[in-house]
Amino acid sequence: MNQIELKAKAIQIRMDLLRMIHGAKTGHTGGSLSNTDILTALYYKIMKIDQQNPKWAERDRFIASKGHSVESLWCILADLGFFPKEELGTFSQFGTRLIGHPNNKVPGIEMNTGALGHGLAISVGMALAAKRDGKSYRVFCLMGDGEQAEGSVWEAAMAGPHFKLDNLVGIIDRNRLQISGSTEEVMGLEPLEEKWAAFGWNVVSIDGNDMESLVEAFGAVPTVPGKPTLVMANTVKGKGVSFAENNPAWHHHVPNDTQLSQALAELSAALELLSQEGQVR
């Protein structure tokens, strides 16, 4: 996909996840909207994957450590054909595979996640296995910024550089909000980039809602031989929906009928502008 197509796909995924959350009457709306561009860049441009063979040994691995923001991931996997798109209508319903966190009973999911702080350690193990087995796949781990208060994150952060895992990419969805408010009020993180650098990571700070920056950062890995990369993806929580942007109330919140209509109208307008831009180019 080119840049216009990737941006359009991200808008479409946002529309899908909003419809899914509205139908299910539950969901982590804000964080899923903020990480949609990240996942779109990875799944449609960067990662080696095969939806016809989800366990392909050479596939790149993705771990959603911030597992509660799974809605964008479910919509992307369905769109790519890992499972029927109609199944999105069962999200968070009784007996569904599509629960409110990643579930490895679903093709395309590597690990069950959701207890924050576990994903990076799992990713370190996968990246180390690739090195020892002589495999070329990369491991991408998406973390939340509120998750950085978990001690296990920093144990894994020490291990990545120790084992020289330049096939490992940590990503922080740095939207600066968590369920109870600002990350800096709940547990101050700054200077966050300097902390990761001090642990031996090559830190790349980007606009995490800018597709060009995401593709460039992910495509450059391994950025520094012998070092894992930490992409500090500065995002807007609730991105793309005016009344949800930078609003902590939308961490876990369901749009009503009126709000859904407004959100879809805003996203449709953004899609139309993007279409016009593509025609101009």
Side-chain angles (χ1 to χ4, degrees):
M1 285 188 173
N2 61 36
Q3 292 293 335
I4 296 291
E5 292 168 333
L6 287 169
K7 292 174 184 178
K9 180 60 68 176
I11 293 171
Q12 292 164 358
I13 295 299
R14 285 186 169 96
M15 296 172 79
D16 287 345
L17 75 85
L18 286 165
R19 292 188 185 101
M20 186 179 72
I21 290 171
H22 175 263
K25 296 181 172 55
T26 185
H28 286 85
T29 305
S32 287
L33 289 170
S34 72
N35 72 33
T36 295
D37 298 303
I38 297 168
L39 297 190
T40 300
L42 288 174
Y43 274 91
Y44 293 92
K45 187 70 174 180
I46 297 296
M47 292 199 305
K48 297 182 301 181
I49 54 174
D50 183 355
Q51 52 268 56
Q52 303 304 318
N53 183 15
K55 295 296 185 182
W56 176 39
E58 300 299 328
R59 72 191 182 280
D60 287 331
R61 274 67 166 169
F62 174 76
I63 299 294
S65 190
K66 53 171 292 186
H68 56 281
S69 294
V70 73
E71 292 82 0
S72 47
L73 180 56
W74 287 145
C75 291
I76 285 172
L77 292 178
D79 185 65
L80 288 170
F82 281 90
F83 59 85
K85 201 165 185 178
E86 295 74 25
E87 195 172 344
L88 294 176
T90 72
F91 172 61
S92 283
Q93 305 304 300
F94 180 75
T96 186
R97 299 187 298 174
L98 306 186
I99 57 177
H101 290 79
N103 170 20
N104 63 7
K105 291 184 172 65
V106 180
I109 298 295
E110 302 288 346
M111 292 292 297
N112 297 350
T113 56
L116 295 175
H118 292 178
L120 188 62
I122 295 167
S123 301
V124 165
M126 288 179 167
L128 182 58
K131 289 289 188 183
R132 293 186 172 178
D133 291 343
K135 301 291 186 180
S136 62
Y137 64 80
R138 294 177 295 177
V139 182
F140 297 87
C141 177
L142 177 64
M143 298 173 279
D145 49 6
E147 183 177 1
Q148 304 304 296
E150 299 281 359
S152 52
V153 168
W154 298 99
E155 294 179 43
M158 281 194 293
H162 176 78
F163 292 109
K164 298 180 171 55
L165 300 180
D166 53 11
N167 57 344
L168 173 62
V169 184
I171 309 158
I172 297 177
D173 184 4
R174 186 71 170 113
N175 58 42
R176 291 173 169 77
L177 291 174
Q178 56 193 102
I179 191 168
S180 47
S182 160
T183 55
E184 300 314 296
E185 293 173 344
V186 176
M187 179 58 67
L189 301 176
E190 295 297 345
L192 190 54
E193 292 176 29
E194 287 86 341
K195 289 174 182 175
W196 279 90
F199 272 66
W201 291 64
N202 178 61
V203 178
V204 179
S205 183
I206 62 170
D207 178 345
N209 294 128
D210 180 74
M211 196 60 68
E212 288 89 349
S213 298
L214 288 163
V215 169
E216 181 180 357
F218 294 143
V221 175
T223 313
V224 177
K227 275 191 171 189
T229 296
L230 187 284
V231 176
M232 191 69 67
N234 295 286
T235 62
V236 174
K237 195 153 190 168
K239 178 67 175 179
V241 178
S242 61
F243 54 84
E245 288 190 354
N246 290 315
N247 185 346
W250 281 88
H251 177 90
H252 186 284
H253 198 75
V254 178
N256 59 32
D257 293 350
T258 301
Q259 290 168 329
L260 178 65
S261 295
Q262 180 182 340
L264 294 179
E266 291 178 4
L267 291 165
S268 294
L271 199 57
E272 178 61 27
L273 284 174
L274 199 57
S275 174
Q276 293 172 7
E277 180 184 347
Q279 291 172 4
V280 170
R281 288 185 179 182

